[in-house]
Amino acid sequence: MLLALAAPLFFACSSEPNPPPTPEADPAHIDPPPQGQGFQIETNLFEVPAGVEKQDCYFFKVRDLAAANGLDPESPVYVNRVQIAQKDGSHHMNVFRVRSIVGLDPAKGAVQEGTDNVGECFKSANWADWPLVANSQIDGKLDWSFPEGVANEFMPDEWLMLQTHYVNASTQGTPSGEGKVNVNFWTIPKEKVTAQLGTLFATKQSIRVCASNPTPSFDGSCQFKSDKPVHIIGANGHFHSRGKQFDMFAWDGVSGEQPPMDKRFYSSQAWDEPPMLTSPELDLEVPANSGVFYTCSYQWQMPEASLGCDGLNALDKQGANDCCYTFGPIVEANEHCNIFVYYYPKADDINCF
């Protein structure tokens, strides 16, 4: 949080209206790739009133995106660069490939809105097997080019889902009261692809941060079922405001113990703007059939008066009256322990524990 020192106020009067912000001044603006070089997906400009958490899901078909942007709609596209731009106030932005349909279905509309934990876009079971494509937890812009020849392959009949979560509450705010997201996907020709990008998204849903156990830690592990070494080139961790320490380690795929500290490749103490590590700064090779180990540590806090322990107890599916923050999407009332990992070459099988 930035604090401004008090200073004298000076007022200027003008009969001219304030000009609209230029595209360069809009943190959610990025120019789309030129025709034939990629495509842009974007959200509407939407309101985020005070006291509200807004989570919306937007659906896009790859074939339609390709056809509208000078690419062959009958052929796969190969993405080698991602740009993300968001207005201030974003809690997270994720893009997933659509797989098993539960309740969240592109057939039900291109935009499916959710407010304060109401709506299918808030229910994580809907995307339990939807592979990660891209993510960001920072306001402003992210621009990442994968290593030369590494690309994410999308088939013409695939659906992509962009999920945006904005918060305008006590722990996190949306200064303008509005949200918007733009994402660019830049493509390369198939003949330049040497390896496919793989992604890993995992959540630790057993977390409980309770008054009687105020400083718990939780860990998890994910193994790449690959007979080749894997290069980890992107990493991001996610928890809410009770989170204090998030670490990721290279893991041998066998041990049940936390790896030594010299194996740690990601560390964060920030919950609202956690660091996103990307290549070329991050390029970690791990052996065949090894993986990633992650830990999340917390400090219990008294809930906001408007929620109270009664509110937390009502959300606790275990029925305990212990004022516990449990897994869920609401920033004010729930906690998370999620990892986002990008690597190559893509493995078809990943086991998470």
Side-chain angles (χ1 to χ4, degrees), residues 294-317:
Y294 62 100
T295 66
C296 299
S297 301
Y298 302 88
Q299 173 62 62
W300 182 85
Q301 302 169 8
M302 181 68 71
E304 292 292 320
S306 59
L307 176 67
C309 285
D310 288 343
L312 290 186
N313 292 338
L315 293 171
D316 191 343
K317 295 179 180 178

Side-chain angles (χ1 to χ4, degrees), residues 9 18 22 24 31 50-52 57 70 94 118 157 162 179 221 278 295 329:
L9 298 178
N18 291 327
T22 63
E24 293 76 13
D31 292 328
V52 165
C57 291
N94 300 327
V118 177
D157 287 329
L162 184 158
S221 57
T278 61
T295 66

Side-chain angles (χ1 to χ4, degrees), residues 23-136:
E24 293 76 13
D26 181 359
H29 175 82
I30 43 175
D31 292 328
Q35 286 281 300
Q37 297 184 39
F39 52 84
Q40 183 178 91
I41 62 177
E42 63 178 339
T43 72
N44 303 322
L45 180 67
F46 54 89
E47 292 186 357
V48 190
V52 165
E53 295 198 27
K54 188 94 170 96
Q55 184 157 294
D56 298 338
C57 291
Y58 291 73
F59 292 92
F60 307 87
K61 198 164 192 178
V62 172
R63 181 188 304 279
D64 298 338
L65 294 168
N69 291 276
L71 299 166
D72 181 1
E74 303 302 322
S75 299
V77 295
Y78 297 90
V79 171
N80 179 255
R81 177 187 176 192
V82 176
Q83 293 174 296
I84 301 170
Q86 307 186 90
K87 288 182 72 68
D88 290 356
S90 172
H91 178 63
H92 78 248
M93 189 290 305
N94 300 327
V95 179
F96 294 104
R97 302 171 187 262
V98 175
R99 290 293 186 262
S100 299
I101 300 298
V102 181
L104 195 60
D105 187 342
K108 296 179 180 178
V111 183
Q112 298 176 40
E113 300 182 12
T115 302
D116 292 340
N117 206 23
V118 177
E120 292 294 334
C121 194
F122 271 105
K123 300 176 182 178
S124 60
N126 282 315
W127 56 89
D129 67 347
W130 294 13
L132 175 70
V133 171
N135 84 291
S136 177

Side-chain angles (χ1 to χ4, degrees), residues 192-276:
K192 291 189 176 182
V193 177
T194 58
Q196 283 198 35
L197 181 77
T199 61
L200 162 63
F201 170 65
T203 65
K204 196 69 177 176
Q205 300 191 14
S206 60
I207 53 177
R208 296 179 62 81
V209 184
C210 304
S212 65
N213 184 25
T215 58
S217 294
F218 301 88
D219 58 59
S221 57
C222 294
Q223 182 184 30
F224 303 112
K225 291 288 190 175
S226 172
D227 59 1
K228 299 177 181 178
V230 163
H231 286 261
I232 296 174
I233 59 169
N236 200 204
H238 176 76
F239 45 30
H240 294 166
S241 61
R242 281 65 54 177
K244 296 304 176 185
Q245 182 74 35
F246 198 118
D247 291 324
M248 296 187 209
F249 304 81
W251 175 54
D252 62 13
V254 178
S255 173
E257 301 297 323
Q258 176 180 307
M261 293 305 291
D262 63 0
K263 297 296 184 181
R264 185 174 70 174
F265 66 89
Y266 178 90
S267 182
S268 171
Q269 294 82 40
W271 76 270
D272 54 347
E273 293 270 337
M276 175 79 176

Side-chain angles (χ1 to χ4, degrees), residues 323-345:
C323 204
C324 299
Y325 297 91
T326 56
F327 178 83
I330 298 298
V331 174
E332 303 292 292
N334 296 128
E335 265 303 337
H336 271 165
C337 177
N338 300 351
I339 63 167
F340 306 82
V341 175
Y342 302 81
Y343 68 94
Y344 74 92

